[in-house]
Amino acid sequence: IPLYRDAIQLAPALSPAYTNLCHALKLLGEYADALQMCTEGYARAKDDRERAAALVNYGVAQYSGGGARYFRSAIAAWSKASSQDPANAAAHRYYAKAGVALGKLREAAEAEKLAWTVDPRPETVLALAHLATSTNASTGDAVGVDLLRSGFGDPAALDGFAESLQEFAAQATKEGSPADLAAIKQAEFVYLDYSKAEPERAR
């Protein structure tokens, strides 16, 4: 924290210094100060990338400090961040978590897919697998196929998703995680269904 404060003194217009200080203060539970620093970071941002970073941290600090009563406000911050900087994977992931909490599973899956296209991490595959299972279970239809169709039109992206599913399945088997493995297997079925329905797009 002292280093971030020193950076602000040396370069008062440096937006990332305020945003990083916001994040650090949030971890210490100093939420009011954290929100102030994120606000300062947003005001000094020189581009959409810096504005989005400030918004993501603002939303996290707001929800962490205020709980459920600030949940929708935090969601608005993450939504705005994802619009301003579509390459900000954190904005998509936080928005997806919010969607799950609100029961908006389709919106959550769409956000996770955006995160996947920007930053294809294994945990995104697992999150999508759980969402495919939850969505299908709650609606009784093949929503998972629709989600793949709408979000993964690029065959290369589909191939990467399938490979990551296989890698994660092997890891879940090795670690003895039946819940994760079940979700991954469900996602594999969804992918296979999509592959059969759209062979020219899912090769």
PDB file of all heavy atoms in Angstrom, residues 4 15 24 40 59 69-70 95-96 116 130 140-141 150 157 159 184-185 193 200:
ATOM      1  N   TYR A   4       1.968   2.084  -3.513  1.00  0.00           N
ATOM      2  CA  TYR A   4       0.926   2.673  -4.362  1.00  0.00           C
ATOM      3  C   TYR A   4       0.713   4.139  -4.009  1.00  0.00           C
ATOM      4  O   TYR A   4       0.519   4.981  -4.894  1.00  0.00           O
ATOM      5  CB  TYR A   4      -0.387   1.903  -4.205  1.00  0.00           C
ATOM      6  CG  TYR A   4      -0.358   0.505  -4.758  1.00  0.00           C
ATOM      7  CD1 TYR A   4      -0.930  -0.554  -4.058  1.00  0.00           C
ATOM      8  CD2 TYR A   4       0.243   0.231  -5.984  1.00  0.00           C
ATOM      9  CE1 TYR A   4      -0.909  -1.846  -4.567  1.00  0.00           C
ATOM     10  CE2 TYR A   4       0.277  -1.063  -6.492  1.00  0.00           C
ATOM     11  CZ  TYR A   4      -0.306  -2.097  -5.777  1.00  0.00           C
ATOM     12  OH  TYR A   4      -0.278  -3.367  -6.282  1.00  0.00           O
ATOM     13  N   SER A  15      -3.773   6.454 -13.332  1.00  0.00           N
ATOM     14  CA  SER A  15      -4.992   5.739 -12.940  1.00  0.00           C
ATOM     15  C   SER A  15      -4.738   4.361 -12.328  1.00  0.00           C
ATOM     16  O   SER A  15      -5.335   4.025 -11.295  1.00  0.00           O
ATOM     17  CB  SER A  15      -5.921   5.601 -14.147  1.00  0.00           C
ATOM     18  OG  SER A  15      -7.025   4.782 -13.853  1.00  0.00           O
ATOM     19  N   ALA A  24      -5.972  -3.242  -3.029  1.00  0.00           N
ATOM     20  CA  ALA A  24      -5.251  -3.565  -1.793  1.00  0.00           C
ATOM     21  C   ALA A  24      -6.057  -3.181  -0.558  1.00  0.00           C
ATOM     22  O   ALA A  24      -6.127  -3.939   0.423  1.00  0.00           O
ATOM     23  CB  ALA A  24      -3.899  -2.850  -1.789  1.00  0.00           C
ATOM     24  N   GLU A  40     -11.339   7.632  -7.932  1.00  0.00           N
ATOM     25  CA  GLU A  40     -10.244   8.474  -8.418  1.00  0.00           C
ATOM     26  C   GLU A  40      -9.577   7.840  -9.635  1.00  0.00           C
ATOM     27  O   GLU A  40      -9.224   8.528 -10.596  1.00  0.00           O
ATOM     28  CB  GLU A  40      -9.216   8.681  -7.300  1.00  0.00           C
ATOM     29  CG  GLU A  40      -9.725   9.414  -6.076  1.00  0.00           C
ATOM     30  CD  GLU A  40      -9.891  10.904  -6.323  1.00  0.00           C
ATOM     31  OE1 GLU A  40      -9.413  11.397  -7.362  1.00  0.00           O
ATOM     32  OE2 GLU A  40     -10.514  11.575  -5.476  1.00  0.00           O
ATOM     33  N   GLY A  59     -16.774  -2.408  -8.226  1.00  0.00           N
ATOM     34  CA  GLY A  59     -17.872  -3.335  -7.985  1.00  0.00           C
ATOM     35  C   GLY A  59     -17.547  -4.351  -6.914  1.00  0.00           C
ATOM     36  O   GLY A  59     -18.376  -4.661  -6.050  1.00  0.00           O
ATOM     37  N   ARG A  69     -27.182  -5.676  -0.372  1.00  0.00           N
ATOM     38  CA  ARG A  69     -27.905  -4.437  -0.696  1.00  0.00           C
ATOM     39  C   ARG A  69     -27.215  -3.639  -1.784  1.00  0.00           C
ATOM     40  O   ARG A  69     -27.821  -2.790  -2.441  1.00  0.00           O
ATOM     41  CB  ARG A  69     -28.079  -3.575   0.556  1.00  0.00           C
ATOM     42  CG  ARG A  69     -26.803  -3.176   1.235  1.00  0.00           C
ATOM     43  CD  ARG A  69     -27.067  -2.587   2.605  1.00  0.00           C
ATOM     44  NE  ARG A  69     -25.837  -2.311   3.306  1.00  0.00           N
ATOM     45  CZ  ARG A  69     -25.567  -1.171   3.906  1.00  0.00           C
ATOM     46  NH1 ARG A  69     -26.457  -0.193   3.889  1.00  0.00           N
ATOM     47  NH2 ARG A  69     -24.432  -0.982   4.529  1.00  0.00           N
ATOM     48  N   TYR A  70     -25.907  -3.916  -2.011  1.00  0.00           N
ATOM     49  CA  TYR A  70     -25.174  -3.229  -3.080  1.00  0.00           C
ATOM     50  C   TYR A  70     -24.896  -4.156  -4.267  1.00  0.00           C
ATOM     51  O   TYR A  70     -24.129  -3.815  -5.164  1.00  0.00           O
ATOM     52  CB  TYR A  70     -23.847  -2.688  -2.553  1.00  0.00           C
ATOM     53  CG  TYR A  70     -24.013  -1.516  -1.619  1.00  0.00           C
ATOM     54  CD1 TYR A  70     -23.758  -1.643  -0.261  1.00  0.00           C
ATOM     55  CD2 TYR A  70     -24.439  -0.279  -2.102  1.00  0.00           C
ATOM     56  CE1 TYR A  70     -23.921  -0.576   0.608  1.00  0.00           C
ATOM     57  CE2 TYR A  70     -24.594   0.804  -1.248  1.00  0.00           C
ATOM     58  CZ  TYR A  70     -24.340   0.655   0.102  1.00  0.00           C
ATOM     59  OH  TYR A  70     -24.503   1.712   0.949  1.00  0.00           O
ATOM     60  N   TYR A  95     -19.434 -10.753 -13.587  1.00  0.00           N
ATOM     61  CA  TYR A  95     -20.814 -10.654 -14.059  1.00  0.00           C
ATOM     62  C   TYR A  95     -21.445 -12.041 -14.133  1.00  0.00           C
ATOM     63  O   TYR A  95     -22.625 -12.215 -13.803  1.00  0.00           O
ATOM     64  CB  TYR A  95     -20.851  -9.981 -15.431  1.00  0.00           C
ATOM     65  CG  TYR A  95     -22.248  -9.624 -15.886  1.00  0.00           C
ATOM     66  CD1 TYR A  95     -22.880  -8.480 -15.401  1.00  0.00           C
ATOM     67  CD2 TYR A  95     -22.936 -10.423 -16.786  1.00  0.00           C
ATOM     68  CE1 TYR A  95     -24.167  -8.152 -15.803  1.00  0.00           C
ATOM     69  CE2 TYR A  95     -24.223 -10.104 -17.196  1.00  0.00           C
ATOM     70  CZ  TYR A  95     -24.830  -8.967 -16.700  1.00  0.00           C
ATOM     71  OH  TYR A  95     -26.101  -8.648 -17.088  1.00  0.00           O
ATOM     72  N   ALA A  96     -20.667 -13.028 -14.527  1.00  0.00           N
ATOM     73  CA  ALA A  96     -21.177 -14.403 -14.582  1.00  0.00           C
ATOM     74  C   ALA A  96     -21.531 -14.909 -13.190  1.00  0.00           C
ATOM     75  O   ALA A  96     -22.583 -15.533 -12.988  1.00  0.00           O
ATOM     76  CB  ALA A  96     -20.137 -15.321 -15.222  1.00  0.00           C
ATOM     77  N   TRP A 116     -14.012 -16.727 -21.606  1.00  0.00           N
ATOM     78  CA  TRP A 116     -13.248 -17.807 -22.242  1.00  0.00           C
ATOM     79  C   TRP A 116     -12.560 -17.317 -23.510  1.00  0.00           C
ATOM     80  O   TRP A 116     -11.392 -17.632 -23.768  1.00  0.00           O
ATOM     81  CB  TRP A 116     -14.167 -18.984 -22.556  1.00  0.00           C
ATOM     82  CG  TRP A 116     -13.602 -19.946 -23.547  1.00  0.00           C
ATOM     83  CD1 TRP A 116     -13.841 -19.994 -24.886  1.00  0.00           C
ATOM     84  CD2 TRP A 116     -12.671 -20.996 -23.281  1.00  0.00           C
ATOM     85  NE1 TRP A 116     -13.139 -21.003 -25.469  1.00  0.00           N
ATOM     86  CE2 TRP A 116     -12.406 -21.634 -24.507  1.00  0.00           C
ATOM     87  CE3 TRP A 116     -12.052 -21.458 -22.121  1.00  0.00           C
ATOM     88  CZ2 TRP A 116     -11.533 -22.708 -24.610  1.00  0.00           C
ATOM     89  CZ3 TRP A 116     -11.184 -22.529 -22.230  1.00  0.00           C
ATOM     90  CH2 TRP A 116     -10.933 -23.145 -23.448  1.00  0.00           C
ATOM     91  N   HIS A 130     -20.557 -26.532 -15.260  1.00  0.00           N
ATOM     92  CA  HIS A 130     -21.572 -26.470 -14.210  1.00  0.00           C
ATOM     93  C   HIS A 130     -22.819 -25.727 -14.690  1.00  0.00           C
ATOM     94  O   HIS A 130     -23.950 -26.119 -14.388  1.00  0.00           O
ATOM     95  CB  HIS A 130     -21.002 -25.783 -12.967  1.00  0.00           C
ATOM     96  CG  HIS A 130     -20.167 -26.684 -12.112  1.00  0.00           C
ATOM     97  ND1 HIS A 130     -20.692 -27.756 -11.427  1.00  0.00           N
ATOM     98  CD2 HIS A 130     -18.838 -26.687 -11.845  1.00  0.00           C
ATOM     99  CE1 HIS A 130     -19.716 -28.369 -10.760  1.00  0.00           C
ATOM    100  NE2 HIS A 130     -18.589 -27.745 -11.010  1.00  0.00           N
ATOM    101  N   GLY A 140     -35.018 -28.114 -18.549  1.00  0.00           N
ATOM    102  CA  GLY A 140     -35.444 -29.339 -19.201  1.00  0.00           C
ATOM    103  C   GLY A 140     -35.228 -29.365 -20.693  1.00  0.00           C
ATOM    104  O   GLY A 140     -35.664 -30.289 -21.378  1.00  0.00           O
ATOM    105  N   ASP A 141     -34.550 -28.343 -21.246  1.00  0.00           N
ATOM    106  CA  ASP A 141     -34.280 -28.360 -22.678  1.00  0.00           C
ATOM    107  C   ASP A 141     -32.765 -28.332 -22.920  1.00  0.00           C
ATOM    108  O   ASP A 141     -31.981 -28.297 -21.987  1.00  0.00           O
ATOM    109  CB  ASP A 141     -34.961 -27.189 -23.393  1.00  0.00           C
ATOM    110  CG  ASP A 141     -34.498 -25.843 -22.846  1.00  0.00           C
ATOM    111  OD1 ASP A 141     -33.442 -25.800 -22.195  1.00  0.00           O
ATOM    112  OD2 ASP A 141     -35.190 -24.841 -23.083  1.00  0.00           O
ATOM    113  N   SER A 150     -24.600 -20.119 -30.049  1.00  0.00           N
ATOM    114  CA  SER A 150     -24.597 -18.657 -30.089  1.00  0.00           C
ATOM    115  C   SER A 150     -23.237 -18.074 -29.744  1.00  0.00           C
ATOM    116  O   SER A 150     -22.914 -16.977 -30.183  1.00  0.00           O
ATOM    117  CB  SER A 150     -25.638 -18.107 -29.106  1.00  0.00           C
ATOM    118  OG  SER A 150     -25.311 -18.473 -27.774  1.00  0.00           O
ATOM    119  N   ALA A 157     -12.303 -22.028 -31.742  1.00  0.00           N
ATOM    120  CA  ALA A 157     -12.692 -21.845 -30.340  1.00  0.00           C
ATOM    121  C   ALA A 157     -13.364 -23.100 -29.812  1.00  0.00           C
ATOM    122  O   ALA A 157     -13.143 -23.513 -28.679  1.00  0.00           O
ATOM    123  CB  ALA A 157     -13.624 -20.647 -30.216  1.00  0.00           C
ATOM    124  N   ASP A 159     -12.861 -26.161 -30.855  1.00  0.00           N
ATOM    125  CA  ASP A 159     -11.832 -27.185 -30.680  1.00  0.00           C
ATOM    126  C   ASP A 159     -11.075 -26.962 -29.381  1.00  0.00           C
ATOM    127  O   ASP A 159     -10.796 -27.881 -28.630  1.00  0.00           O
ATOM    128  CB  ASP A 159     -10.853 -27.155 -31.857  1.00  0.00           C
ATOM    129  CG  ASP A 159     -11.496 -27.673 -33.140  1.00  0.00           C
ATOM    130  OD1 ASP A 159     -12.541 -28.336 -33.039  1.00  0.00           O
ATOM    131  OD2 ASP A 159     -10.949 -27.394 -34.215  1.00  0.00           O
ATOM    132  N   ILE A 184     -18.389 -31.879 -15.997  1.00  0.00           N
ATOM    133  CA  ILE A 184     -17.600 -31.900 -17.229  1.00  0.00           C
ATOM    134  C   ILE A 184     -18.168 -32.910 -18.210  1.00  0.00           C
ATOM    135  O   ILE A 184     -18.267 -32.645 -19.420  1.00  0.00           O
ATOM    136  CB  ILE A 184     -16.122 -32.223 -16.911  1.00  0.00           C
ATOM    137  CG1 ILE A 184     -15.507 -31.044 -16.142  1.00  0.00           C
ATOM    138  CG2 ILE A 184     -15.331 -32.487 -18.185  1.00  0.00           C
ATOM    139  CD1 ILE A 184     -14.197 -31.361 -15.484  1.00  0.00           C
ATOM    140  N   LYS A 185     -18.554 -34.060 -17.719  1.00  0.00           N
ATOM    141  CA  LYS A 185     -19.138 -35.078 -18.594  1.00  0.00           C
ATOM    142  C   LYS A 185     -20.429 -34.549 -19.231  1.00  0.00           C
ATOM    143  O   LYS A 185     -20.704 -34.800 -20.402  1.00  0.00           O
ATOM    144  CB  LYS A 185     -19.414 -36.354 -17.799  1.00  0.00           C
ATOM    145  CG  LYS A 185     -18.150 -37.116 -17.393  1.00  0.00           C
ATOM    146  CD  LYS A 185     -17.349 -37.554 -18.619  1.00  0.00           C
ATOM    147  CE  LYS A 185     -16.126 -38.362 -18.217  1.00  0.00           C
ATOM    148  NZ  LYS A 185     -15.298 -38.719 -19.417  1.00  0.00           N
ATOM    149  N   ASP A 193     -23.516 -33.188 -28.786  1.00  0.00           N
ATOM    150  CA  ASP A 193     -24.801 -32.917 -29.422  1.00  0.00           C
ATOM    151  C   ASP A 193     -24.683 -31.775 -30.419  1.00  0.00           C
ATOM    152  O   ASP A 193     -25.224 -31.821 -31.521  1.00  0.00           O
ATOM    153  CB  ASP A 193     -25.863 -32.568 -28.374  1.00  0.00           C
ATOM    154  CG  ASP A 193     -26.312 -33.791 -27.595  1.00  0.00           C
ATOM    155  OD1 ASP A 193     -26.064 -34.910 -28.082  1.00  0.00           O
ATOM    156  OD2 ASP A 193     -26.894 -33.619 -26.520  1.00  0.00           O
ATOM    157  N   GLU A 200     -20.526 -28.671 -39.654  1.00  0.00           N
ATOM    158  CA  GLU A 200     -19.681 -27.773 -40.437  1.00  0.00           C
ATOM    159  C   GLU A 200     -19.047 -26.697 -39.572  1.00  0.00           C
ATOM    160  O   GLU A 200     -18.075 -26.075 -39.953  1.00  0.00           O
ATOM    161  CB  GLU A 200     -20.488 -27.111 -41.560  1.00  0.00           C
ATOM    162  CG  GLU A 200     -21.493 -26.070 -41.102  1.00  0.00           C
ATOM    163  CD  GLU A 200     -22.784 -26.680 -40.567  1.00  0.00           C
ATOM    164  OE1 GLU A 200     -22.850 -27.926 -40.466  1.00  0.00           O
ATOM    165  OE2 GLU A 200     -23.720 -25.930 -40.259  1.00  0.00           O
TER     166      GLU A 200
END
